[in-house]
């Protein structure tokens, strides 16, 4: 399946809002990523032009910061914590379960662009270990049954949209 289409006008509008902002590269990239879920590679050149930078400088910043992605992600980005507090509370089995349920390895996106699976060092909610973040929603004290029902819920959202 092809990745979701990028609205070129919307992209241009975002870039224009930051035109000439010498120190505005990171906020601009953040805004692009917030709107599209990643930085579409064709955006690099117009971003560089708008801020009077070389495309290689823009590319360098994108690859330096782990938070920026050049590949489209799924509609639901799952970040399962593998930090110490979560590890002690069984995050490894949670990660394995999510991998099995979604048929994805760490860093992969499903072919229908519904799910991306990532793991992170700490979600900053250790008291809720083991934790997982789906887009902006935190889920804590996860047990396998809860993970399965959450994933079912997100899968159902997908089906509801296609009907
Ligand atoms: S170690 Fe998992 S939230 Fe901190």
């Amino acid at each position: 399946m092809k990745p979701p289409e990028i609205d070129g006008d919307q992209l241009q509008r975002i870039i224009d809002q930051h035109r000439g902002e010498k120190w505005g590269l990171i906020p601009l990239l953040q805004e692009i990523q917030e709107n599209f879920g990643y930085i579409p590679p064709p955006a690099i050149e117009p971003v560089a032009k708008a801020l009077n930078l070389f495309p290689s400088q823009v590319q360098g910043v994108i690859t330096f910061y782990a938070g920026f992605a050049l590949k489209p992600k799924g509609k639901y980005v799952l970040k399962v914590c593998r930090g110490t507090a979560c590890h002690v509370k069984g995050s490894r089995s949670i990660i394995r379960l999510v991998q099995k349920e979604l048929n994805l390895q760490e860093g992969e996106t499903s072919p229908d662009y519904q799910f991306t699976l990532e793991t992170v060092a700490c979600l900053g909610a250790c008291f809720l270990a083991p934790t997982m973040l789906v887009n902006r929603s935190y889920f804590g004290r996860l047990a396998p049954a809860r993970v399965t029902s959450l994933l079912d819920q997100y899968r159902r959202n997908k089906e509801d949209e296609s009907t």
Side-chain angles (χ1 to χ4, degrees), residues 3-161:
E5 294 250 330
I6 293 298
D7 180 342
D9 292 342
Q10 187 189 0
L11 177 62
Q12 196 56 54
R13 269 197 304 279
I14 296 169
I15 294 173
D16 287 343
Q17 279 164 13
H18 293 264
R19 190 168 293 283
E21 288 176 10
K22 211 175 163 199
W23 306 109
L25 178 57
I26 289 182
L28 170 52
L29 293 175
Q30 280 169 334
E31 200 173 331
I32 292 173
Q33 181 148 299
E34 256 171 44
N35 278 271
F36 301 105
Y38 74 114
I39 315 283
I44 291 175
E45 196 134 349
V47 164
K49 217 170 184 182
L51 301 188
N52 261 331
L53 297 166
F54 292 110
S56 58
Q57 291 174 294
V58 176
Q59 174 93 35
V61 168
I62 296 169
T63 43
F64 181 78
Y65 289 100
F68 290 130
L70 282 165
K71 277 203 231 153
K73 293 190 182 187
K75 181 176 170 198
Y76 301 114
V77 178
L78 284 74
K79 295 182 188 210
V80 186
C81 184
R82 58 175 155 68
T84 308
C86 289
H87 179 80
V88 169
K89 297 271 186 169
S91 65
R92 190 180 273 183
S93 61
I94 300 293
I95 294 169
R96 266 196 241 116
L97 176 61
V98 176
Q99 286 175 326
K100 191 169 158 243
E101 286 273 343
L102 299 180
N103 196 21
L104 290 176
Q105 291 304 308
E106 199 183 323
E108 286 183 346
T109 295
S110 59
D112 60 0
Y113 291 94
Q114 285 297 306
F115 296 101
T116 295
L117 174 60
E118 297 175 352
T119 63
V120 290
C122 180
L123 285 172
C126 311
F127 60 102
L128 289 174
T131 60
M132 173 169 85
L133 184 68
V134 182
N135 295 349
R136 290 175 188 220
S137 305
Y138 276 90
F139 299 98
R141 298 198 178 99
L142 290 169
R146 171 97 170 108
V147 172
T148 306
S149 86
L150 273 171
L151 295 177
D152 280 347
Q153 208 176 304
Y154 283 108
R155 284 197 200 98
R156 267 202 304 278
N157 289 351
K158 176 195 169 187
E159 283 159 23
D160 291 347
E161 281 161 18

